[in-house]
Amino acid sequence: MQHPQARIDLHVHSTASDGVLSPSEVVCLALEQGLTAIALTDHDTVSGVAEALDAAAGTTLEVIPGVEINSEGEWGDLHFLGYYVDCRNGALNERLQVVRDARLGRAYAMVKRLGELGLPLEWEHVRALASGESVGRPHVARALLERGYVQTLQEAFDRYIGNDGPAYVPRLRLSPPEVIAAIVDSGGVPVLAHPAYSGAAVVARIPEFVAHGLRGLEVYYPGHTPEEIEALLRLCRQFGLLATGGSDFHGPGHGEGAYLGSVEVPADCLDGLRVAACRR
Ligand code: AMP
Ligand code: FE
Ligand code: FE
Ligand code: ZN
């Protein structure tokens, strides 16, 4: 299919989780950037989607309801994107609520650990920085920055709360089959996020994930090399998976991901997702 004007970004965060811009600000920026479609994929919540849909109504921008859910286990730290999930689905929201409740306890544990390391933070401060539903390490990092313990958000991760940091506390994560089921059961299309960052071992597990309902791989992503993109496209062909892509934009000046719309994603990626969502 030809899409001469189409420009899409299928991996975007907002203040509903650890992004910097509100869902409507993200929509405005997407329009300014000349994008034709974005998927809002906040961590463990779909609470930003309604605001984004409202903000985009009557404009040239299409907003695809989405979510990013992490999993953990012998597979390592794998993230799954769910496209076209039904945001009102009770079972999905209940599952996400359990994960978010655990995020809260885990953030509290990190604050406690930081206090033991001589970096006391006020819990209310962290809570206020996480204005949305989903509390994450970037909020703790911002509290450390605002208290003057670090000079940049990156320093907070590098010194204290990165995966190997002294104040890191792991969070509750579902297993990959549970995450895939949560997405599929709510009418969504599950896609493995940024596979090139998930380690070579994940490739061996793809057939298993496909058997559970995985439908795609996030092929186009900041930092994915042409060779990695080619290898991922080969895997898509081998397993009959869709290719998707996006920037993982978290906001201007935020360390993770790239700028909104800055990753080139072929527009027919969206056609494949739409068809997959229809066939559910
Ligand atoms: P959480 O889901 O609470 O564990 O936080 C994960 C988020 O923290 C990611 O989505 C990134 O936004 C950010 N993050 C994780 N590791 C790093 C890192 N090493 N440097 C900068 N940001 C990071
Ligand atoms: Fe994030
Ligand atoms: Fe991710
Ligand atoms: Zn993301």
Side-chain angles (χ1 to χ4, degrees):
M1 222 178 280
Q2 292 298 307
H3 300 273
Q5 304 297 325
R7 281 189 56 218
I8 64 176
D9 189 333
L10 301 175
H11 189 155
V12 180
H13 294 273
S14 76
T15 48
S17 65
D18 58 4
V20 174
L21 303 181
S22 70
S24 29
E25 287 168 336
V26 168
V27 165
C28 287
L29 184 60
L31 284 163
E32 274 170 33
Q33 297 291 310
L35 294 180
T36 50
I38 59 166
L40 194 69
T41 53
D42 273 304
H43 300 286
D44 303 325
T45 181
V46 289
S47 66
V49 171
E51 181 185 322
L53 285 169
D54 276 354
T59 75
T60 50
L61 184 75
E62 177 180 350
V63 170
I64 293 126
V67 66
E68 180 174 16
I69 311 177
N70 294 13
S71 70
E72 174 67 280
E74 50 174 314
W75 311 267
D77 182 12
L78 300 183
H79 301 187
F80 291 88
L81 298 158
Y83 292 109
Y84 293 106
V85 287
D86 173 5
C87 296
R88 291 157 309 186
N89 182 280
L92 174 70
N93 281 299
E94 276 165 34
R95 277 165 157 148
L96 294 179
Q97 184 69 52
V98 170
V99 174
R100 289 196 302 268
D101 287 348
R103 274 182 169 279
L104 211 53
R106 173 264 201 155
Y108 191 83
M110 286 199 290
V111 167
K112 189 158 170 277
R113 210 169 275 189
L114 285 163
E116 289 159 7
L117 291 169
L119 310 168
L121 292 173
E122 273 108 51
W123 172 241
E124 286 315 316
H125 183 200
V126 176
R127 224 25 220 105
L129 289 169
S131 56
E133 278 196 330
S134 193
V135 186
R137 278 184 285 167
H139 305 117
V140 178
R142 183 156 294 280
L144 286 168
L145 180 72
E146 290 187 3
R147 282 287 260 118
Y149 296 137
V150 292
Q151 302 307 307
T152 62
L153 294 174
Q154 190 58 51
E155 188 187 342
F157 280 94
D158 293 345
R159 290 181 65 187
Y160 303 112
I161 59 171
N163 290 7
D164 301 318
Y168 175 70
V169 176
R171 46 194 194 76
L172 170 79
R173 284 182 261 219
L174 308 171
S175 70
E178 284 174 315
V179 173
I180 293 170
I183 294 168
V184 170
D185 293 350
S186 59
V189 182
V191 171
L192 181 62
H194 39 74
Y197 291 96
S198 303
V202 71
V203 171
R205 311 301 293 252
I206 287 177
E208 198 182 315
F209 298 156
V210 171
H212 283 285
L214 185 75
R215 298 301 306 277
L217 300 178
E218 190 177 43
V219 170
Y220 307 96
Y221 188 80
H224 276 189
T225 63
E227 293 73 28
E228 283 167 336
I229 290 175
E230 208 30 68
L232 289 169
L233 287 173
R234 271 199 302 276
L235 286 170
C236 287
R237 286 192 290 272
Q238 186 180 351
F239 294 106
L241 293 168
L242 299 165
T244 73
S247 64
D248 208 356
F249 178 63
H250 279 68
H254 191 290
E256 207 198 6
Y259 202 71
L260 187 67
S262 66
V263 170
E264 207 171 306
V265 182
D268 56 6
C269 290
L270 186 49
D271 299 330
L273 277 182
R274 285 197 190 106
V275 172
C278 270
R279 292 225 173 110
R280 297 221 56 83

